[in-house]
Amino acid sequence: NAGVTQTPKFQVLKTGQSMTLQCAQDMNHEYMSWYRQDPGMGLRLIHYSVGAGITDQGEVPNGYNVSRSTTEDFPLRLLSAAPSQTSVYFCASSSAGAGGDEQYFGPGTRLTVT
Amino acid sequence: AQTVTQSQPEMSVQEAETVTLSCTYDTSESDYYLFWYKQPPSRQMILVIRQEAYKQQNATENRFSVNFQKAAKSFSLKISDSQLGDAAMYFCAYRSAYAGGTSYGKLTFGQGTILTVHP
């Protein structure tokens, strides 16, 4: 059982470049989300989705786009990378949005923008 | 909005000893869940333990237990018989029990506590 997978694991971008971070889960979870982790700040929610075709903004959505065409996939797009987007990005999924259901995290993508 | 605060940036413990990590939170909601996550150097986020606010009994998972004080909005993690493999960053997190609303399903994390285990 693969769980939550993310690609790539590491990425270096130049300012202004675009890229897509991939996230996939094989647990048939409805709820998926993206977080970024910065030193001293814990993880912060970027965008989330409660099902295919439904997405919404989290706490720090600026500079990022998402879409959810299938239950399994939830890619995160950086349209024009900025040094402030240097961070570690985590994708997570759970069977329900609210409550105590465990959120399963992917292994993370370390992104550096120069 | 909810906030979670971990006031101990770093903690250390001797192998086989007990250590307690602190967490406080602020919320106006009455039903919610609290979590402790472990992040070892591999970066993988691992759920350690969870607690529902309506349950008065403190959660326990093997060597890990919590002290949940709802009125004080405190949620500490106790690790007994510490092992070298417990060395990691530990995050306290909050999640609403209510469906709908802004940032639905959001986990609000504290800043993290780095735990070092000495042999």
Side-chain angles (χ1 to χ4, degrees):
Chain A
N1 193 346
V4 181
T5 57
Q6 288 182 240
T7 55
K9 285 190 168 49
F10 301 93
Q11 183 70 48
V12 178
L13 290 179
K14 294 188 188 307
T15 298
Q17 287 185 317
S18 63
M19 80 159 297
T20 299
L21 306 185
Q22 301 291 346
C23 173
Q25 53 91 8
D26 62 0
M27 297 172 282
N28 202 33
H29 284 166
E30 291 297 322
Y31 185 85
M32 296 185 73
S33 54
W34 278 100
Y35 291 85
R36 60 178 287 173
Q37 181 179 12
D38 300 297
M41 299 186 74
L43 281 73
R44 292 179 292 165
L45 182 67
I46 304 171
H47 285 286
Y48 66 97
S49 168
V50 298
I54 307 170
T55 64
D56 208 342
Q57 296 181 353
E59 183 181 355
V60 287
N62 292 339
Y64 308 96
N65 280 351
V66 293
S67 61
R68 182 102 178 264
S69 57
T70 67
T71 299
E72 294 78 19
D73 300 300
F74 190 44
L76 178 72
R77 281 184 288 277
L78 285 72
L79 298 180
S80 178
S84 61
Q85 293 178 304
T86 294
S87 188
V88 179
Y89 292 85
F90 288 95
C91 178
S93 75
S94 63
S95 58
D101 288 351
E102 180 175 356
Q103 288 214 41
Y104 294 84
F105 285 81
T109 295
R110 181 177 293 278
L111 174 68
T112 302
V113 183
T114 60
Chain B
Q2 296 82 23
T3 59
V4 177
T5 302
Q6 293 177 249
S7 59
Q8 305 157 316
E10 298 182 26
M11 291 285 285
S12 64
V13 64
Q14 291 293 130
E15 199 174 4
E17 302 275 302
T18 295
V19 64
T20 298
L21 308 185
S22 300
C23 173
T24 58
Y25 59 94
D26 189 31
T27 184
S28 59
E29 297 179 331
S30 58
D31 196 14
Y32 47 87
Y33 290 82
L34 297 165
F35 305 83
W36 279 99
Y37 279 88
K38 171 185 178 182
Q39 186 181 43
S42 66
R43 217 164 57 198
Q44 183 68 48
M45 294 289 287
I46 301 165
L47 178 64
V48 174
I49 200 165
R50 83 191 86 182
Q51 173 82 41
E52 183 178 3
Y54 264 105
K55 290 187 176 177
Q56 294 190 352
Q57 186 172 4
N58 289 326
T60 299
E61 290 284 346
N62 300 315
R63 298 182 294 107
F64 299 87
S65 61
V66 299
N67 183 5
F68 173 51
Q69 302 288 329
K70 190 172 183 180
K73 295 181 181 173
S74 170
F75 182 61
S76 60
L77 175 70
K78 186 171 83 170
I79 306 174
S80 304
D81 186 25
S82 296
Q83 300 175 359
L84 295 177
D86 295 333
M89 173 85 85
Y90 286 81
F91 290 100
C92 177
Y94 170 104
R95 195 183 201 192
S96 173
Y98 299 102
T102 59
S103 293
Y104 170 68
K106 169 187 174 183
L107 275 170
T108 300
F109 286 86
Q111 304 90 329
T113 297
I114 298 172
L115 177 66
T116 302
V117 181
H118 298 289

